[in-house]
Amino acid sequence: MKLCVIEGDGIGREVIPAAVEVLRAVVSDLTIVTAEAGFETFEQQGISLPEETVECALACGAVLFGAASSPSYPVEGYYSPIVKLRRTLNAFANLRPVRYLPVPAARPGVDLLVVRENTEDLYVGHEHTENEGQTGIAEKVITRDATERVARLSYELAQRTHREKVTIVHKANVLPQSDGLFRRVALEVAQDYPQILTDELLIDTAAYWMVKDPLRFDLILTSNMYGDILSDMAAAWGGGIGLAPSLSVGANIAIAEPMHGSAPDIAGQGIANPTAAILSVAMLLRHTWLLPEKAQQIQDAVYATLEEGGHTADIYSESAISTQQFTESVLSHL
Ligand code: NAI
Ligand code: MG
């Protein structure tokens, strides 16, 4: 097995080594190739996603990505390396499960999966200004092909993993040409899966229900930006963003990537929660390398660590342990 490891920026450099340690503990025949991406890479090399990194990802077929710091203002020549990597590799669906974990903030019974289209929508990066910088314009792209493949994958996944309901989330009432296309194509695909219940919600209503009653959701199928936002909301019910894994998938490619970002507010202190990164690796084992027992071993070890009260400061600050101590506890449970 080969894995291209991209730590990226900030806490990516702390949680990714932890996840690699845990992965090595369950898989012996693992070849790791490291590659660079992110804002620091951009500052050093003038590019946020170097060609060698894309080649590394393609050669390995499996990637573990930490996080990249993307500034909230225009920087000439900079683009988000993870958005670009997903598009370049055609990792067209981002699977974001949120499941109850034994920590105080988590909601018992929550077990949902957000499937986020990963290659288009507002994230195509077609943005410019007009009117001497006083008008900002971004293009939202929705295509039949990209919608159909993410919808089909969602229903296949629902079927395989015994989920009963798919909720299609959009804003087709305001955007009938773009979100309307997403909705129409998703509903067409739904017809091939009559045994799975299909419903739909407008994104604002979906956000309301996510806060009010997360147990109402099973699998959520949505476009890129709504999926980004709704999955972060859902992550709060799983115990917090530091616990939320994800896997971006395409034909012959998978990117394990925690949902969270580079967390500059805590970076460099050795206190970041490595759970999201560790559980992302478990997703890679389960979905890509088809080693569900090993994935389960990791999930069980994380669960046991949390259950006995091992927690980093984001979970609760009293008697918090460090990233390294948490990782050692997971390793000891393995
Ligand atoms: P963030 O996810 O980095 O942090 C949000 C809050 O959650 C912060 O208070 C942070 O300390 C906390 N947090 C996140 N992960 C944690 C962990 N593992 N352990 C403990 N606490 C954790 O989101 P934010 O602050 O909005 O963005 C910071 C930077 O990250 C930005 O430059 C943004 O562009 C980038 N980002 C990158 C992503 C990626 O590369 N996949 C995804 C999201 C944001
Ligand atoms: Mg996000």
Side-chain angles (χ1 to χ4, degrees):
M1 281 180 299
K2 286 176 88 175
L3 181 64
C4 173
V5 173
I6 306 167
E7 292 180 355
D9 298 311
I11 62 165
R13 301 204 169 272
E14 301 164 44
V15 298
I16 294 305
V20 168
E21 243 187 290
V22 170
L23 181 60
R24 278 199 191 283
V26 297
V27 178
S28 47
D29 57 337
L30 181 68
T31 306
I32 286 184
V33 193
T34 57
E36 297 297 327
F39 197 73
E40 256 183 59
T41 304
F42 175 75
E43 286 180 319
Q44 286 156 9
Q45 305 182 27
I47 181 166
S48 59
L49 183 68
E51 191 49 44
E52 309 87 78
T53 301
V54 176
E55 280 162 18
C56 167
L58 281 170
C60 294
V63 181
L64 174 59
F65 185 93
S69 297
S70 295
S72 295
Y73 47 86
V75 173
E76 179 72 32
Y78 182 85
Y79 46 79
S80 161
I82 185 62
V83 172
K84 180 85 183 263
L85 190 65
R86 293 166 183 153
R87 277 168 60 78
T88 306
L89 303 179
N90 240 329
F92 64 85
N94 187 201
L95 315 182
R96 302 187 145 201
V98 176
R99 218 167 272 132
Y100 171 80
L101 285 168
V103 299
R107 173 79 181 261
V110 164
D111 178 8
L112 61 87
L113 174 68
V114 177
V115 181
R116 163 187 179 194
E117 199 291 324
N118 223 12
T119 62
E120 53 183 30
D121 195 358
L122 282 162
Y123 290 52
V124 292
H126 298 167
E127 208 192 6
H128 67 279
T129 56
E130 290 177 3
N131 186 22
E132 289 164 0
Q134 300 315 299
T135 305
I137 297 173
E139 209 174 296
K140 174 173 168 118
V141 178
I142 301 286
T143 64
R144 168 171 285 277
D145 284 355
T147 306
E148 194 172 337
R149 65 185 175 180
V150 74
R152 201 156 290 286
L153 181 131
S154 297
Y155 278 93
E156 288 294 322
L157 207 56
Q159 206 165 39
R160 222 172 43 236
T161 57
H162 311 292
R163 292 194 179 270
E164 287 167 4
K165 186 170 73 174
V166 170
T167 303
I168 302 162
V169 173
H170 55 77
K171 189 76 182 175
N173 57 335
V174 174
L175 299 165
Q177 305 292 351
S178 50
D179 279 22
L181 179 62
F182 188 92
R183 172 181 179 271
R184 281 193 298 282
V185 173
L187 287 172
E188 274 172 35
V189 172
Q191 288 184 354
D192 294 340
Y193 302 84
Q195 68 287 10
I196 294 170
L197 215 69
T198 294
D199 72 349
E200 56 175 306
L201 287 175
L202 298 172
I203 177 60
D204 42 348
T205 308
Y208 168 76
W209 281 113
M210 185 59 77
V211 171
K212 175 120 174 119
D213 180 17
L215 302 191
R216 140 188 233 299
F217 293 107
D218 196 355
L219 189 151
I220 294 168
L221 162 60
T222 191
S223 51
N224 207 339
M225 179 172 266
Y226 306 147
D228 191 357
I229 298 168
L230 209 53
S231 59
D232 274 30
M233 281 179 77
W237 289 126
I241 195 84
L243 302 163
S246 93
L247 186 71
S248 290
V249 296
N252 308 316
I253 195 75
I255 311 170
E257 36 167 324
M259 269 192 222
H260 62 72
S262 58
D265 53 340
I266 58 161
Q269 301 176 38
I271 59 168
N273 193 336
T275 302
I278 293 169
L279 293 179
S280 299
V281 159
M283 289 185 77
L284 196 59
L285 283 165
R286 186 180 296 277
H287 294 273
T288 309
W289 289 333
L290 305 177
L291 295 168
E293 322 76 40
K294 293 195 185 289
Q296 197 59 47
Q297 267 180 285
I298 291 180
Q299 283 174 240
D300 291 347
V302 166
Y303 200 96
T305 297
L306 294 169
E307 199 161 45
E308 71 188 12
H311 59 267
T312 43
D314 54 312
I315 302 303
Y316 41 104
S317 54
E318 216 169 283
S319 66
I321 56 178
S322 68
T323 308
Q324 188 54 34
Q325 286 168 319
F326 185 91
T327 309
E328 275 158 21
S329 177
V330 173
L331 289 170
S332 74
H333 281 289
L334 284 170

